[in-house]
Amino acid sequence: MLRNYLKISLRTLWKSKLFSFITILGLALGMAAGWMIFRYVTYELSYDRFHHSAEDTYRVYQRIYKNGELDAQTARVAPAVASAFQENFSSIENYTRMVILGPDGVLTYRDRYSSEKEIYLADTAFFSIFSFPLLLGNPQTALLEPFNVIISESSAEKLFGQENPLGKTITIDAENFDGQSPEFKITGVMADMPENTHLQIGILVSYPTLFEFVGHQFDNSWEWNNTYTYLQLAKNTDPSTLEREFLPIVQKFNEKQFVEANIDWQFGLQSLPSIHLHSDLQHEVSVNGSALYAYLLASLALLILLIAYINFINLTTVKALRRAREVGIRKVAGAQRSQLIRQFFLETLLINLIAVLLAALIINLAFPTVADRFGVNTDTIISIPLSFLIGVAIWMLALVIGSGFYPAFVLSGYQPKKVLKGQFSRSAPGASLRKVLVVGQFALAFVFITLTLVASQQIHFMQQQDLGFNPKQVVVLKAPKSIDYGYGYNNKFPRFQQTISSLPDVLNVSGSATVPGQDIFWYDDQIRVQDQETSGVFSILHVAPSYFQQYDIELIAGRTFDEPSRTKWIINESAVKLLGFDEAEMAIGQTIQRNGEAGEIIGVVRDFHYQSLKKAIEPILFWASHSLNYYTVEVKTSSLTQTLEKLQENYHLLFPGSPFEYFFLDEFFNRQYQAEQQFNALFRLFSGLAVVIACLGLLALSSFNLTQRTKEIGIRKVLGASVNSLILLLSTDYFKLIGIALVIAIPVANYFATEWLSNFAYAIKISLGLLLLPGVIVLALTLLTISSQTLTAARRNPVNSLREE
């Protein structure tokens, strides 16, 4: 019997090859799109889930309140926090702390060097909490002694080749070693960091090394907020309950300071797997993703699958009209309804199987390109919540079963008497349901297109907005870290500036600790002005004296720097307001106290966007220095290649043994919008697929209606109806459906677009035209989809139409 069902199913599919192809193609596109989005989302959800104690590991973050108002939320806390919490709470089984030593540095071994990013101090519990593989060395002792270091696998290969690096001595040059180039003993080699972790660490230096620079009193500090702290909790510990119990401990150690400065510190816990998608604090370890984008894309995948299966049901029931007499004859011949249901359900399963095979082919051809375009590592081992997998599996199973049983029951329920008399076409079942489904499809398509347009305009707005400074034509060089260049630490920038400024195509030379587009490393929430405590958190940035001239940042009061000094400050407009001054001129000459040192405000500059427009402009305090992480060179673009060659040549002459690394500032700044750009590109691609699949559904409905109205069209033509009037008549119903879909979609799209834009400090306004534009696009696609069929039906010879009837 099964063999007979299968033969009939294959013959049926082959008999209507084009119709079957459209049906299978729609399903395959939906499956392929859904799988590719699912793969991307699972990759985003997999971050840091591979650690053995991931579900019990939490990062401590800090909320800073002043005068009862929230001033800042930061991912870094003071070093005393971890030990104080563990001593008071038995539910904290272990902790590890990390302190960043610099965004990059240089490792030197004899005549070899390796440039490394992200240098961190870490204590001995690091490998007990995190599951990063240590290829060489003992994880219990590798970070125990001062001046021990664990290097990455790639660095070991660069410096030592096939030699065993354990026990070898290297020098490390990084900004926060205060100009020194200390020697370190290699006690471990760790595997390069996987991509799906927020901790992209290049080098691990032993935590006790810190005491050699600043002493042991550092460990008891509650104010030096530069430590990333991770706690491992006992099983079944409720983190929210533990958070509430932190407050008395914090107040116990800081009560006097809280009262005098009218401040408050509150500490919260973030689960390790949630950091990548759910954390957007100041001073994050790395740029995180967005849970909103991941969930929107996951929703898009599910809805695309839903649209594909809605189309499948519509196309199958359209095909039912052509098989009505077959069902009637088989019932007259004695076929039971249960047999017909099994027959049609098997056809559905066969179509799904062929669609799966076609989807696999599409994925195999398209996914490598999509993965490369959107930075998805296809080799990454995925570890995602079981509940997520179960939910997707249930959704898919419901779609397959639902799409199989509905057509099977509709087709098997035809009454032989009616269908053999030809009455079926005048009483086709499910017409209202099909219209509802089409309205739903196009409402979703409207929402997808609207969100795509809003995202595109917002990204364009951020990239084209006046930043308040000029990032163009600026080449950023990483400052030298090697000790082999023969100049003192403090005079390397002046020598570089003097040499490079003499090049013919160089317009300006400056530098800074960080560049626009990066998080400013240093901050302070205890700034005093004229012996009065202020109420906010200030970012602290040291720059070269020529910094503001190079970037064309407007000076609105006072003067700029003329030489390096820690006692002269320039501030931005946001800092003026936070310091309590009504006008910029009022701040000039005022005294700032920081860490026991006094300095004079000599200038005020116009606010500018140091970071992306997703964030509000921060109050910044600038002081002048020649100790810089980045050298910035403004160049003419007419002969850029030759200029870069000259820069490299002079850099190596000035700093032999230090790698020449550069990037363009405007490109670097726009990388802050990479998540938005990837999301928009993905959403645009798969929204387009959703619209294509929806148009296939419209094709099904129009084909069904035209088949039903063949006799009506013939009679109208006999009575004198023109082709144009018939096209208008046959198209009106579809435009009504599109209009209903538009009415439903506009408020939904407006809500989601508004919610998304609320994540940006500076955002576009959603206009009525922007909401109506998707309607125009879909109406054009609708007309294009149905025009060929309606035109053919309207031009058909009425004699042939009436003869068929």
Side-chain angles (χ1 to χ4, degrees):
M1 183 65 72
L2 181 62
R3 182 180 179 183
N4 182 56
Y5 288 160
L6 186 60
K7 288 174 65 176
I8 294 172
S9 299
L10 290 172
R11 287 172 180 171
T12 302
L13 292 177
W14 185 253
K15 184 178 180 181
S16 305
K17 291 184 284 292
L18 179 60
F19 208 85
S20 299
F21 176 74
I22 293 175
T23 305
I24 294 170
L25 178 62
L27 271 183
L29 287 174
M31 291 176 180
W35 189 91
M36 285 190 279
I37 296 175
F38 173 75
R39 185 68 177 82
Y40 177 82
V41 172
T42 53
Y43 171 77
E44 289 291 290
L45 291 173
S46 73
Y47 269 67
D48 290 307
R49 294 187 181 276
F50 56 84
H51 299 289
H52 65 274
S53 58
E55 298 303 324
D56 299 314
T57 302
Y58 293 81
R59 184 177 71 180
V60 183
Y61 71 97
Q62 183 175 5
R63 294 184 293 268
I64 300 172
Y65 291 86
K66 282 201 169 185
N67 299 321
E69 295 185 0
L70 180 64
D71 265 351
Q73 296 187 90
T74 174
R76 299 200 308 237
V77 300
V81 169
S83 56
F85 285 175
Q86 189 184 44
E87 289 171 5
N88 286 275
F89 303 106
S90 59
S91 57
I92 299 176
E93 294 184 341
N94 205 352
Y95 69 81
T96 188
R97 294 170 297 180
M98 297 165 53
V99 178
I100 188 168
L101 281 174
D104 54 65
V106 173
L107 281 61
T108 306
Y109 175 70
R110 296 178 181 173
D111 60 345
R112 304 174 191 172
Y113 59 83
S114 173
S115 179
E116 277 288 357
K117 295 180 180 179
E118 310 302 337
I119 305 174
Y120 285 90
L121 291 155
D123 56 27
T124 54
F126 181 86
F127 289 101
S128 298
I129 290 181
F130 299 113
S131 300
F132 299 119
L134 191 64
L135 305 179
L136 295 174
N138 185 337
Q140 304 301 321
T141 60
L143 297 171
L144 196 58
E145 301 294 331
F147 298 106
N148 286 354
V149 65
I150 296 174
I151 63 175
S152 66
E153 183 180 7
S154 56
S155 289
E157 186 176 346
K158 290 178 186 177
L159 295 174
F160 302 99
Q162 299 302 315
E163 290 183 62
N164 186 347
L166 291 184
K168 299 286 198 311
T169 299
I170 61 172
T171 58
I172 301 178
D173 301 273
E175 172 69 16
N176 291 329
F177 282 140
D178 296 329
Q180 304 178 41
S181 297
E183 293 187 344
F184 289 84
K185 178 183 176 182
I186 297 176
T187 55
V189 176
M190 60 183 177
D192 293 335
M193 293 287 116
E195 291 187 18
N196 58 334
T197 176
H198 78 289
L199 293 171
Q200 292 299 324
I201 301 168
I203 307 171
L204 284 176
V205 176
S206 58
Y207 197 81
T209 306
L210 183 65
F211 305 142
E212 302 296 319
F213 288 90
V214 298
H216 284 273
Q217 70 275 8
F218 162 86
D219 234 19
N220 300 317
S221 171
W222 280 85
E223 298 180 3
W224 198 74
N225 293 345
N226 284 283
T227 307
Y228 296 102
T229 298
Y230 296 83
L231 308 179
Q232 185 176 336
L233 306 185
K235 294 289 185 183
N236 302 319
T237 300
D238 181 10
S240 59
T241 301
L242 186 59
E243 281 182 352
R244 291 192 291 270
E245 295 174 352
F246 287 160
L247 188 58
I249 304 302
V250 177
Q251 291 178 337
K252 172 185 173 182
F253 287 97
N254 301 279
E255 184 176 3
K256 182 180 178 181
Q257 181 183 359
F258 285 179
V259 173
E260 291 178 354
N262 196 19
I263 62 174
D264 187 22
W265 297 334
Q266 295 183 13
F267 294 88
L269 297 174
Q270 297 174 309
S271 67
L272 183 61
S274 72
I275 291 174
H276 175 65
L277 289 180
H278 296 275
S279 183
D280 188 22
L281 304 173
Q282 288 179 289
H283 312 108
E284 289 283 357
V285 179
S286 58
V287 178
N288 288 330
S290 168
L292 175 63
Y293 297 162
Y295 295 150
L296 280 175
L297 286 169
S299 300
L300 177 60
L302 297 177
L303 292 172
I304 285 175
L305 284 169
L306 178 62
I307 289 173
Y309 276 97
I310 287 174
N311 279 345
F312 170 71
I313 293 171
N314 277 342
L315 287 165
T316 304
T317 51
V318 164
K319 195 175 180 182
L321 178 60
R322 302 175 185 177
R323 301 186 65 182
R325 288 188 174 87
E326 173 195 340
V327 173
I329 292 170
R330 292 179 67 180
K331 279 193 169 185
V332 169
Q336 300 295 316
R337 187 175 186 186
S338 60
Q339 293 176 313
L340 293 172
I341 289 174
R342 287 196 294 270
Q343 168 68 53
F344 295 130
F345 192 70
L346 180 64
E347 288 185 18
T348 298
L349 292 180
L350 181 61
I351 290 172
N352 273 272
L353 177 60
I354 298 173
V356 166
L357 296 176
L358 180 57
L361 177 62
I362 295 171
I363 291 166
N364 186 57
L365 295 175
F367 186 65
T369 302
V370 174
D372 181 66
R373 171 67 178 82
F374 302 112
V376 179
N377 184 1
T378 55
D379 298 326
T380 300
I381 297 175
I382 297 300
S383 173
I384 56 175
L386 181 62
S387 58
F388 183 82
L389 288 173
I390 292 173
V392 172
I394 291 173
W395 178 257
M396 285 294 298
L397 186 62
L399 289 176
V400 172
I401 294 176
S403 64
F405 274 111
Y406 174 75
F409 276 98
V410 170
L411 289 169
S412 63
Y414 293 158
Q415 298 179 24
K417 181 179 178 180
K418 288 186 177 181
V419 296
L420 293 176
K421 286 185 176 182
Q423 297 175 354
F424 170 75
S425 63
R426 292 187 294 273
S427 58
S432 298
L433 176 61
R434 282 189 292 277
K435 291 181 179 180
V436 169
L437 294 178
V438 170
V439 168
Q441 283 180 313
F442 279 94
L444 291 174
F446 280 135
V447 174
F448 295 158
I449 295 173
T450 302
L451 292 178
T452 301
L453 292 174
V454 169
S456 297
Q457 289 206 8
Q458 175 63 20
I459 293 170
H460 179 77
F461 168 77
M462 291 189 296
Q463 292 179 333
Q464 300 301 317
Q465 184 78 354
D466 180 16
L467 299 174
F469 74 99
N470 183 16
K472 297 179 179 179
Q473 300 177 232
V474 175
V475 180
V476 181
L477 310 180
K478 291 185 178 180
K481 298 295 193 301
S482 175
I483 61 174
D484 295 335
Y485 39 77
Y487 304 111
Y489 182 81
N490 290 325
N491 66 3
K492 60 183 178 181
F493 174 73
R495 180 68 179 270
F496 174 84
Q497 186 178 38
Q498 180 183 5
T499 302
I500 300 302
S501 295
S502 64
L503 298 178
D505 291 323
V506 171
L507 302 174
N508 206 326
V509 179
S510 190
S512 54
T514 61
V515 294
Q518 286 182 323
D519 197 8
I520 297 177
F521 185 77
W522 298 105
Y523 71 97
D524 202 322
D525 63 337
Q526 299 184 49
I527 299 292
R528 300 176 66 87
V529 59
Q530 300 299 99
D531 291 325
Q532 298 294 319
E533 189 74 31
T534 59
S535 62
V537 179
F538 298 82
S539 295
I540 312 294
L541 181 64
H542 53 278
V543 301
S546 57
Y547 181 84
F548 301 105
Q549 291 89 336
Q550 182 180 68
Y551 287 123
D552 293 331
I553 298 171
E554 183 182 354
L555 181 73
I556 58 176
R559 64 178 179 86
T560 58
F561 299 119
D562 49 22
E563 61 181 2
S565 173
R566 294 180 66 96
T567 61
K568 305 295 182 184
W569 296 90
I570 292 177
I571 64 177
N572 66 352
E573 290 177 293
S574 293
V576 169
K577 296 174 184 176
L578 202 55
L579 290 171
F581 301 112
D582 295 328
E583 301 290 340
E585 289 77 8
M586 296 173 63
I588 303 301
Q590 300 293 335
T591 301
I592 290 178
Q593 290 95 27
R594 176 177 179 262
N595 295 335
E597 296 182 357
E600 178 190 2
I601 300 175
I602 64 169
V604 177
V605 293
R606 185 80 65 193
D607 271 348
F608 63 98
H609 294 279
Y610 197 86
Q611 292 180 305
S612 77
L613 272 72
K614 292 186 288 186
K615 300 179 180 179
I617 295 175
E618 298 176 348
I620 307 176
L621 309 180
F622 303 89
W623 57 277
S625 171
H626 283 161
S627 175
L628 309 167
N629 283 330
Y630 299 96
Y631 297 164
T632 48
V633 183
E634 185 181 358
V635 299
K636 297 177 183 178
T637 56
S638 55
S639 55
L640 186 58
T641 303
Q642 292 84 346
T643 303
L644 288 174
E645 290 174 354
K646 286 290 184 183
L647 285 176
Q648 183 173 7
E649 178 184 339
N650 283 274
Y651 188 93
H652 285 316
L653 288 173
L654 290 168
F655 314 121
S658 192
F660 177 78
E661 298 176 273
Y662 73 93
F663 55 85
F664 296 100
L665 183 59
D666 53 351
E667 294 178 0
F668 180 81
F669 191 88
N670 283 331
R671 286 177 188 173
Q672 296 177 98
Y673 307 122
Q674 183 176 1
E676 284 72 30
Q677 290 170 332
Q678 286 186 349
F679 165 74
N680 183 48
L682 275 171
F683 213 79
R684 184 169 60 244
L685 170 63
F686 292 111
S687 293
L689 275 177
V691 173
V692 168
I693 296 170
C695 286
L696 288 176
L698 188 63
L699 184 67
L701 184 62
S702 63
S703 174
F704 182 86
N705 287 338
L706 288 172
T707 304
Q708 282 189 297
R709 302 177 71 174
T710 301
K711 184 176 181 180
E712 176 191 346
I713 294 170
I715 294 173
R716 288 181 179 274
K717 289 203 72 173
V718 169
L719 295 176
S722 66
V723 172
N724 291 336
S725 65
L726 287 173
I727 292 175
L728 181 61
L729 173 69
L730 297 172
S731 304
T732 301
D733 288 343
Y734 308 125
F735 291 126
K736 287 179 181 178
L737 296 178
I738 301 302
I740 295 171
L742 184 61
V743 170
I744 295 171
I746 284 178
V748 176
N750 183 63
Y751 171 78
F752 282 110
T754 302
E755 285 295 306
W756 181 69
L757 290 173
S758 67
N759 293 293
F760 299 87
Y762 306 90
I764 62 171
K765 300 292 183 182
I766 300 177
S767 64
L768 181 61
L770 186 59
L771 294 173
L772 292 177
L773 181 58
V776 175
I777 295 172
V778 173
L779 283 172
L781 290 174
T782 301
L783 185 60
L784 185 63
T785 300
I786 65 175
S787 60
S788 59
Q789 290 190 90
T790 53
L791 186 61
T792 301
R795 287 180 172 176
R796 193 175 185 185
N797 190 327
V799 175
N800 295 331
S801 301
L802 294 174
R803 181 183 296 128
E804 286 186 9
E805 289 293 324

